[in-house]
């Protein structure tokens, strides 16, 4: 079996743009299956990507998709990362009054700026996520020991995590990109 790595950017503390949601739909339509999705912690971005998969590809009810963002996976819906759950809650509320698919809702009703303005994170929950679970620590602020042996290098157009020596210049600046990618591993 071969393995293909696909990086797809998903932010955990901001509402995705319409273009980002369309990009997720296009990704799920073009990749080969089976797949494995993961992010830095496997709680917020990977959970949201899994929820999007269920809504966009699986045509599952929103309540089923919301289960991908749960305490069971250490997703705290009251933290800044809870904006992802809030987006699904907003879709559920809007489609309860006027039934529509998630795709149609994104195109007709979804407003990322209004969603961000309406969402208010609980400082205590954000403290737990950012400081205790250390998911708010940008990769560039982690100690050398924490990053020992893991370096992001550029191989043509592909970003790869790779074990080895440190890198400098443009490659070193790209390290932070890992913090915002959901890694999709395609098994073929």
């Amino acid at each position: 079996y071969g393995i293909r790595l696909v990086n797809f950017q998903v932010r955990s503390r901001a509402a995705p743009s319409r273009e980002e949601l369309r990009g997720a739909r296009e990704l799920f339509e073009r990749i080969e299956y089976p797949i494995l999705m993961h992010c830095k912690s496997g709680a917020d971005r990977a959970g949201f990507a899994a929820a999007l998969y269920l809504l966009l590809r699986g045509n599952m009810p929103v309540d089923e998709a919301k289960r991908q963002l749960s305490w069971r996976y250490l997703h705290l819906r009251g933290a800044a990362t809870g904006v992802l759950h809030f987006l699904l809650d907003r879709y559920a509320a809007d489609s309860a009054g006027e039934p529509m698919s998630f795709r149609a809702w994104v195109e007709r009703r979804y407003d990322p700026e209004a969603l961000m303005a309406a969402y208010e994170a609980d400082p205590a929950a954000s403290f737990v996520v950012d400081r205790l679970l250390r998911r708010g620590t940008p990769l560039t602020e982690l100690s050398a020991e924490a990053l020992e042996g893991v370096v992001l290098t550029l191989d043509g157009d592909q970003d790869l995590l790779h074990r080895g020596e440190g890198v400098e210049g443009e490659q070193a600046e790209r390290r932070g990109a890992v913090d915002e990618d959901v890694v999709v591993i395609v098994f073929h």
Side-chain angles (χ1 to χ4, degrees):
Y1 288 94
I3 295 177
R4 186 167 60 105
L5 174 67
V6 177
N7 288 326
F8 184 78
Q9 184 176 20
V10 177
R11 294 170 293 158
S12 61
R13 290 163 176 76
S17 68
R18 279 194 173 107
E19 291 74 26
E20 289 167 332
L21 293 172
R22 288 180 194 126
R25 183 187 71 222
E26 291 166 7
L27 173 71
F28 295 139
E29 289 173 354
R30 72 177 159 83
I31 60 175
E32 298 175 47
Y33 291 87
I35 65 170
L36 168 74
M37 292 186 282
H38 210 291
C39 62
K40 180 179 161 190
S41 299
D44 305 309
R45 291 167 291 140
F48 184 65
L52 289 178
Y53 171 83
L54 291 175
L55 290 168
L56 296 168
R57 176 105 174 154
N59 295 312
M60 300 295 286
V62 67
D63 288 336
E64 182 72 26
K66 287 195 300 187
R67 290 186 190 140
Q68 302 303 309
L69 289 168
S70 80
W71 168 247
R72 177 180 185 182
Y73 307 116
L74 294 179
H75 171 76
L76 299 179
R77 66 184 293 170
T81 56
V83 70
L84 303 174
H85 203 117
F86 189 63
L87 180 152
L88 298 176
D89 287 341
R90 182 63 57 94
Y91 164 60
D94 287 351
S95 64
E98 178 187 338
M100 68 185 89
S101 71
F102 184 73
R103 290 178 189 192
W105 179 78
V106 167
E107 297 303 326
R108 289 189 231 151
R109 306 271 311 264
Y110 177 58
D111 182 347
E113 291 81 21
L115 188 86
M116 286 300 298
Y119 183 71
E120 190 173 328
D122 175 359
S126 292
F127 176 81
V128 170
V129 168
D130 295 342
R131 299 296 174 208
L132 298 181
L133 298 176
R134 297 186 57 94
R135 292 204 305 250
T137 306
L139 219 51
T140 53
E141 291 180 18
L142 292 175
S143 67
E145 293 79 27
L147 291 172
E148 183 177 347
V150 179
V151 177
L152 178 67
T153 62
L154 302 179
D155 180 17
D157 293 331
Q158 294 291 321
D159 290 347
L160 301 173
L161 276 176
H162 130 83
R163 297 197 174 280
E165 298 296 319
V167 293
E168 297 179 13
E170 178 186 347
Q171 292 179 344
E173 292 173 14
R174 294 293 303 258
R175 279 189 188 170
V178 173
D179 192 45
E180 299 213 352
D181 289 347
V182 170
V183 176
V184 178
I185 301 173
V186 179
F187 298 91
H188 51 92

